Amino acid sequence: MAIPRRTVRQVIIEETKKFLVVAFYLWVIFALLVEYKSVILAEENVSIETRGLALINALALGKIIVLAQAFHLGEMAEDVPLIYPTLLKSALFSILLAIFKILEVGIVGLFHHRPFTQSITEIAGGTLKGIICVTLIMFVVLIPFFAYAEVRRVLGQDQLRHLFLHRRPVQAD
């Protein structure tokens, strides 16, 4: 049976949908972290720019995730239990996101004529402990994201979407 070839338009639409889902997931997480930080620090006047930055970060890091997925980062053999690729991808992608976040704040800092060490204080205070903590939070946050992706890969995109978004028939005991 021949596999139907996708047109460029179909590929662009599919990749754009993937990107938007990833960016939306990350935006929700980043926005919640900003709100949590404001609660912890009792900052009632968190600027709109800070909240907007959560969306910009989600879009930028979402694109990094989609590109890394296109290069099959963290792909494993088909016959391994799903927990392994889920945890591997969560770990690799959280490290990748941490590296790009450090580079991003460093480049923005250079643009504003700030030294790199001062710029990275925006990431959990800029300490190694803080950066590791944020990276571990991203690792945990990415586990359900990649678990869903792995189950979708095994069951098929339409099947998992149907299971989550449509009524299921009542099973008789």
Side-chain angles (χ1 to χ4, degrees), residues 62-73:
K63 189 59 186 169
I64 291 167
I65 286 179
V66 170
L67 285 172
Q69 285 176 323
F71 287 106
H72 306 288
L73 181 67

Side-chain angles (χ1 to χ4, degrees), residues 49-133:
E49 291 87 14
T50 303
R51 288 185 169 93
L53 193 56
L55 177 60
I56 292 167
N57 281 330
L59 293 171
L61 296 175
K63 189 59 186 169
I64 291 167
I65 286 179
V66 170
L67 285 172
Q69 285 176 323
F71 287 106
H72 306 288
L73 181 67
E75 294 290 322
M76 298 182 85
E78 295 287 320
D79 62 344
V80 299
L82 293 183
I83 190 68
Y84 296 125
T86 298
L87 293 177
L88 176 64
K89 288 179 182 180
S90 296
L92 290 175
F93 280 83
S94 62
I95 292 167
L96 184 66
L97 292 177
I99 290 168
F100 275 94
K101 182 63 179 169
I102 291 168
L103 290 174
E104 173 203 347
V105 297
I107 291 169
V108 169
L110 289 174
F111 181 74
H112 292 292
H113 307 292
R114 289 189 311 236
F116 181 78
T117 53
Q118 182 184 0
S119 298
I120 64 167
T121 59
E122 295 176 21
I123 306 171
T127 66
L128 180 60
K129 182 179 178 181
I131 292 170
I132 290 172
C133 183

